[in-house]
């Protein structure tokens, strides 16, 4: 990975951290609008970060570990409260993992 890509990825992580802190700050706010906007921004930045990591990792498997660290740091709370709708395709994928790979 070239230095400029590395710094770009580090900047993305820093930006996600800032948005995450804003989410915490507005967590108890009466306005769901602010919280929703920050959640959307965090998700967009996170998607972009994962794409950047996958495309600029020189096909190293260690990048999956970095993505795992990222998810554990920035999405641990969301994952603990996660529930899919019964007809959601992601629920079907989750079921396959649980049934076949747990």
């Amino acid at each position: 990975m070239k230095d400029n890509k590395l710094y770009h990825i580090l900047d993305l992580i820093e930006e996600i951290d800032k948005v995450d802190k804003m989410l915490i700050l507005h967590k108890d706010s009466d306005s769901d609008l602010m919280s929703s906007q920050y959640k959307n921004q965090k998700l967009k930045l996170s998607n972009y970060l994962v794409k950047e990591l996958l495309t600029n990792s020189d096909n190293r498997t260690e990048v999956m570990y970095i993505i795992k660290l990222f998810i554990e740091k920035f999405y641990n709370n969301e994952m603990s409260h996660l529930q899919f709708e019964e007809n959601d395709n992601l629920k079907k994928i989750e079921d396959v993992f649980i049934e076949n790979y747990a």
Side-chain angles (χ1 to χ4, degrees), residues 19-72:
V19 172
D20 201 47
K21 287 176 180 166
M22 292 304 291
L23 260 170
I24 292 167
L25 185 69
H26 290 280
K27 184 176 92 173
D28 297 327
S29 171
D30 291 336
S31 171
D32 285 339
L33 179 64
M34 290 298 287
S35 179
S36 178
Q37 287 177 340
Y38 284 122
K39 284 180 184 178
N40 286 336
Q41 184 179 8
K42 179 180 170 185
L43 187 57
K44 285 179 185 177
L45 289 168
S46 298
N47 285 333
Y48 185 53
L49 172 67
V50 170
K51 287 178 187 176
E52 288 294 305
L53 284 168
L54 290 171
T55 57
N56 293 293
S57 66
D58 302 323
N59 290 323
R60 294 180 57 193
T61 56
E62 292 88 353
V63 76
M64 299 309 272
Y65 172 72
I66 301 300
I67 293 170
K68 178 183 178 282
L69 289 177
F70 169 76
I71 292 170
E72 288 172 350

Side-chain angles (χ1 to χ4, degrees), residues 7-9 12 16 19 21 23 31-32 36 43 64 74 83 89-90 92 95 97-98:
Y7 294 125
H8 177 67
I9 287 170
L12 274 171
I16 293 166
V19 172
K21 287 176 180 166
L23 260 170
S31 171
D32 285 339
S36 178
L43 187 57
M64 299 309 272
F74 291 106
Q83 290 207 336
N89 285 335
L90 292 177
K92 294 174 185 172
D95 290 344
F97 270 101
I98 290 171

